[in-house]
Amino acid sequence: MEGGRSEARAVASFRALVPSMFHRRLILLMGSAVGVCVVLMAQAGNLTVRQGDKHLARAASRLVTERWTETVRGRILDRKGRVLAQDEASFDVLVDYRVITGEWAVMRAREAVLREQRDRWDMLDEVGRRALIERAIPEYQDRLERDWGRLAGALGIERGALEDARVEVVGRVHHMAAYVREQQRTAREQELNRDRRVAIPVTLRDVARPIAEERAAHVIVRGVESEVAADVRRLASGEDAMAGVVVRPSGRRVYPLETMEVVLDGRGMPSRLESKMEGAVSVRVAGVGTHVLGRMRGAQKEDFERRAGMDMQEEGPDRGRYIEGDRVGAGGIEEGAEDVLRGVRGRVVEHHDSGAAEVFVAGAGRDVRLTLDIALHARIQALMTPDVGLAKVQPWHATAQADQKFYDNMGRSLNGAAVVIEIESGEVLAMVSTPSFTRETYEEHSVEMARNEVDAPLVNKAVGKPYPPGSVVKPLVLTWAVTDNKLGLDEGIECTGALYPVRASDSLRCWIYKQFGRTHADDYGDALFGATAIEVSCNIFFYTLGRRLGFDGMVEWYKKMGVGEGYSLGIGGEYGGYAGRGEDTQTPIVTLATFMGIGQGPVNWTPLHAADAYATLARGGVRIWPRVVGGVMPRHSDLHWDSSAIEMAKRGLKGVINGAAGGGRWLIDPETGAREEIFNAPGVEVWGKTGTAAAPTIYARDAEGEWVYEEGRNPVTGEVENERIVLREGDHSWFVVLAGDEGYPKYAVSVIVEYGGSGGRVSGPIANQILHALVEEGYLVGQGGGG
């Protein structure tokens, strides 16, 4: 009885417990559901509130598509409106990377086998599947081979050229993929092992996903004409189309006057050359103005970054930004005026929900007009080509001290530069640097050209290479000394042959003493005055002025002439010049000042500096900064030179050309002793100064940059020893002139010939022919000239 009651109570307690357990479970289930709902609501809130704009934009973007259209780069013109550079309608031909590598054949073979074997594919093992695919591949490989041949035919090029392009693309993409995958592998390994004591290695296989470039089309041929592009488009369409071929518009940059024919008639040439030319000859000049104009190259990382950092001050994406495959100006005005010449792409935005479209029309780049006269420039460049004869070692270059080494170099080509400035405006009419080069030559031989230390064809020597001024600076030093009251107008200085007579064998000697063992005092019987000192180029006179002006004074005057500042012409590759002590802490200050008085020592400048300085002299001490880009407001400064000193300097420059002892008057035939005047353009008045400047010796180097030696004999001991092979040594040859035809100077011309020696004999005939060119092109009237 009691047991039955206990059982009944237990059952009742269990029944009471069951609802309680159920309710607890129900509460737990409801709590879980609520928790899930809270998480979902939080995520929904995050998506709609915090990230709503982003996701809304992503959704909206699927309703909008945009297309970009090409722009046209601005033209480069010369001062007379001749087109020097312009875009020409052309097209690039691209091919899918998988077609380039041949992977396309494998992909198509697999697809074909899958279609044919779809009913029994699952029953085949891996070996069987692979065997079927490999049997199908040759058919598609044959098709690819045929298509590459068809493409070469449509393009009108050799099949080998396409193969070379394929190899170049594969190599470039392979290199890029290897770099990207290594970066991905490193990042993945660091992430995976961040909190591990035992590192888990990550291999390249673990991150071997294709990069975008391995699935994209790449340029195989650039700049084909529209007729060729049409043929390729037909090849890429229809039932028998070549796979993966794309034709894309691309403006090809052309330089219509890169090569010009110049007619020279030999008038005014040294008699030996004039007789050889026997009338007019046509000279083909390649690479006309390349140093000034520049070229184009592919866009690189720094271009993307520079453009991204520009403040475009406009809404929406930058329509002038660079994309893969864009071309960018490199060197010259193409680079300097990149943002002016570069236009903006057109943009078409289509809204699929509304059917509306926004159209942004492409904007062409602006033209850039240069101050250069390309016809004059080409004529001067022709004169400085070795084939004409002025720019090669000739018999009349010989001095009284010429040795066998000079005659061994007979006929060797000479490099240099020339600048012509219009004095009134400061505009540069011509800026020649030799040797020049064509853009095609650069594409094929850029590495060798960059390593060519002797010719330095990539350097614009007119503005980009340092040269000691030499004696062409002497009329300037005279003007500075009088202006600073360091020399009286009627004060003479005696030429003693050496600055320190008791040490007449030292380096501070006059050139006349070095060569002939006499002094200018012996010739004139008295002290020299300013104009005569310039005419005979007396070193002692200008050593003395350098010492009087002092080192700081010399440096200050050189800097007033722009030395150390440069010109910011916008053509790149400029060297600003230098005047100062530098790393030389041993040479006494007074010695440095002494050498600077004759254009040597711690000072160097460029041919543009030289022409600028003489143009300043012609303007009476008013300096106008030279310009190459037209339409730029000129910058000027009055240096307040003493006017009487300027006239004295100009009389000295006249004496150099016309005086009995003028170093720029005569050429002397070494065989006959016959004399002929260097400057002979009828009706053209000339003021000028020769200069000879010390030049660094150039030694031969091997491919690794190490010196190359040859066996030689010590001249003192007679012992056999190895010596570095000398490629070039000697002095640079200067001639700077002012020229006019109405009694006053109109143009300043500077000429330098590297390792040429005597300024009068070498650079003089070139300067003279530049004056003839100014007559031919109508800048100087002259008498009996062209233009």
Side-chain angles (χ1 to χ4, degrees), residues 105-147:
V106 179
M107 293 167 54
R108 290 295 173 267
R110 180 179 175 82
E111 291 173 1
V113 171
L114 279 171
R115 284 195 303 271
E116 295 170 359
Q117 304 291 334
R118 60 178 177 272
D119 295 333
R120 55 189 294 265
W121 186 257
D122 292 338
M123 294 181 288
L124 295 171
D125 59 15
E126 188 61 30
V127 175
R129 293 173 179 175
R130 188 179 300 114
L132 289 172
I133 293 171
E134 289 178 353
R135 281 201 294 270
I137 288 175
E139 175 186 348
Y140 294 95
Q141 288 177 332
D142 291 343
R143 179 175 172 180
L144 270 185
E145 285 298 307
R146 182 200 64 173
D147 285 347

Side-chain angles (χ1 to χ4, degrees), residues 544-565:
T544 304
L545 295 191
R547 294 165 71 88
R548 290 184 182 183
L549 284 162
F551 179 75
D552 291 339
M554 291 298 301
V555 169
E556 181 181 358
W557 275 113
Y558 274 115
K559 288 185 175 180
K560 285 180 180 179
M561 301 312 303
V563 176
E565 177 185 7

Side-chain angles (χ1 to χ4, degrees), residues 219-258:
V219 175
I220 289 292
V221 177
R222 293 188 182 276
V224 303
E225 297 178 352
S226 31
E227 293 82 1
V228 175
D231 290 341
V232 175
R233 283 196 180 100
R234 283 191 287 270
L235 176 65
S237 60
E239 294 182 1
D240 195 27
M242 178 176 178
V245 176
V246 180
V247 178
R248 185 178 67 189
S250 67
R252 178 176 60 183
R253 197 66 165 170
V254 295
Y255 301 85
L257 301 178
E258 182 181 50

Side-chain angles (χ1 to χ4, degrees), residues 20-193:
S20 176
M21 292 173 62
F22 173 76
H23 287 118
R24 282 200 297 271
R25 289 179 179 176
L26 181 61
I27 291 170
L28 287 172
L29 289 172
M30 291 178 66
S32 299
V34 169
V36 171
C37 290
V38 169
V39 171
L40 293 174
M41 290 175 66
Q43 181 65 14
N46 180 52
L47 294 173
T48 57
V49 179
R50 295 182 60 187
Q51 300 184 42
D53 292 342
K54 181 178 74 174
H55 292 288
L56 183 62
R58 182 180 299 172
S61 69
R62 294 174 181 174
L63 300 175
V64 177
T65 58
E66 65 178 10
R67 291 182 291 106
W68 294 89
T69 59
E70 295 297 316
T71 184
V72 176
R73 191 174 178 85
R75 300 176 300 169
I76 301 176
L77 312 172
D78 84 340
R79 69 186 296 112
K80 294 185 176 179
R82 303 181 185 99
V83 177
L84 307 180
Q86 65 182 357
D87 274 6
E88 187 176 79
S90 64
F91 301 84
D92 291 342
V93 176
L94 300 84
V95 179
D96 188 283
Y97 186 73
R98 289 159 292 193
V99 175
I100 293 174
T101 61
E103 183 187 350
W104 177 87
V106 179
M107 293 167 54
R108 290 295 173 267
R110 180 179 175 82
E111 291 173 1
V113 171
L114 279 171
R115 284 195 303 271
E116 295 170 359
Q117 304 291 334
R118 60 178 177 272
D119 295 333
R120 55 189 294 265
W121 186 257
D122 292 338
M123 294 181 288
L124 295 171
D125 59 15
E126 188 61 30
V127 175
R129 293 173 179 175
R130 188 179 300 114
L132 289 172
I133 293 171
E134 289 178 353
R135 281 201 294 270
I137 288 175
E139 175 186 348
Y140 294 95
Q141 288 177 332
D142 291 343
R143 179 175 172 180
L144 270 185
E145 285 298 307
R146 182 200 64 173
D147 285 347
W148 280 111
R150 293 167 63 203
L151 180 59
L155 291 168
I157 62 176
E158 295 291 332
R159 175 66 186 277
L162 281 184
E163 293 303 316
D164 291 342
R166 290 174 65 184
V167 170
E168 189 277 328
V169 170
V170 171
R172 174 163 46 84
V173 174
H174 179 76
H175 179 76
M176 185 184 306
Y179 173 78
V180 170
R181 287 172 184 141
E182 178 57 28
Q183 295 296 104
Q184 292 173 341
R185 188 200 68 77
T186 301
R188 176 62 178 155
E189 192 169 71
Q190 290 175 348
E191 179 184 3
L192 188 63
N193 295 304

Side-chain angles (χ1 to χ4, degrees), residues 147-427:
D147 285 347
W148 280 111
R150 293 167 63 203
L151 180 59
L155 291 168
I157 62 176
E158 295 291 332
R159 175 66 186 277
L162 281 184
E163 293 303 316
D164 291 342
R166 290 174 65 184
V167 170
E168 189 277 328
V169 170
V170 171
R172 174 163 46 84
V173 174
H174 179 76
H175 179 76
M176 185 184 306
Y179 173 78
V180 170
R181 287 172 184 141
E182 178 57 28
Q183 295 296 104
Q184 292 173 341
R185 188 200 68 77
T186 301
R188 176 62 178 155
E189 192 169 71
Q190 290 175 348
E191 179 184 3
L192 188 63
N193 295 304
R194 185 173 295 121
D195 299 320
R196 294 180 181 272
R197 291 185 179 180
V198 179
I200 298 177
V202 176
T203 67
L204 289 174
R205 185 185 297 274
D206 298 324
V207 292
R209 293 183 298 276
I211 65 173
E213 285 74 13
E214 292 175 310
R215 293 293 180 263
H218 295 265
V219 175
I220 289 292
V221 177
R222 293 188 182 276
V224 303
E225 297 178 352
S226 31
E227 293 82 1
V228 175
D231 290 341
V232 175
R233 283 196 180 100
R234 283 191 287 270
L235 176 65
S237 60
E239 294 182 1
D240 195 27
M242 178 176 178
V245 176
V246 180
V247 178
R248 185 178 67 189
S250 67
R252 178 176 60 183
R253 197 66 165 170
V254 295
Y255 301 85
L257 301 178
E258 182 181 50
T259 298
M260 298 178 67
E261 295 288 334
V262 175
V263 177
L264 303 177
D265 62 9
R267 282 184 299 174
M269 293 273 191
S271 56
R272 286 195 180 211
L273 288 183
E274 188 173 1
S275 61
K276 286 183 179 180
M277 294 180 73
E278 296 181 349
V281 296
S282 180
V283 180
R284 186 174 183 270
V285 189
V288 177
T290 305
H291 292 102
V292 178
L293 296 177
R295 54 188 177 79
M296 302 299 292
R297 59 169 174 78
Q300 299 172 355
K301 179 181 177 182
E302 56 265 28
D303 303 306
F304 293 93
E305 293 175 347
R306 185 189 67 82
R307 185 76 190 190
M310 294 173 62
D311 181 10
M312 306 309 300
Q313 297 183 346
E314 62 179 31
E315 295 182 1
D318 172 18
R319 294 195 286 137
R321 75 187 190 277
Y322 299 105
I323 62 174
E324 188 69 30
D326 273 358
R327 306 289 283 171
V328 182
I333 202 68
E334 290 280 25
E335 180 176 352
E338 169 69 17
D339 296 326
V340 175
L341 293 166
R342 183 174 180 77
V344 293
R345 293 183 181 84
R347 181 168 170 250
V348 179
V349 182
E350 297 178 349
H351 299 270
H352 300 293
D353 53 344
S354 64
E358 299 174 79
V359 179
F360 301 87
V361 179
R366 299 196 300 278
D367 292 345
V368 173
R369 186 181 290 264
L370 304 183
T371 64
L372 299 185
D373 182 328
I374 202 64
L376 175 66
H377 183 104
R379 186 174 289 276
I380 295 171
Q381 192 168 325
L383 292 167
M384 297 182 70
T385 57
D387 289 345
V388 172
L390 294 176
K392 64 170 54 175
V393 178
Q394 297 282 8
W396 63 81
H397 294 170
T399 65
Q401 291 73 38
D403 55 14
Q404 185 59 44
K405 187 178 293 186
F406 169 85
Y407 292 99
D408 291 341
N409 286 323
M410 192 66 63
R412 190 194 73 201
S413 297
L414 297 170
N415 303 318
V419 174
V420 180
I421 291 179
E422 184 179 64
I423 292 170
E424 183 179 12
S425 67
E427 294 181 346

Side-chain angles (χ1 to χ4, degrees), residues 496-510:
T496 57
L499 195 62
Y500 305 110
V502 296
R503 293 187 302 168
S505 61
D506 71 10
S507 59
L508 294 174
R509 295 177 292 168
C510 191

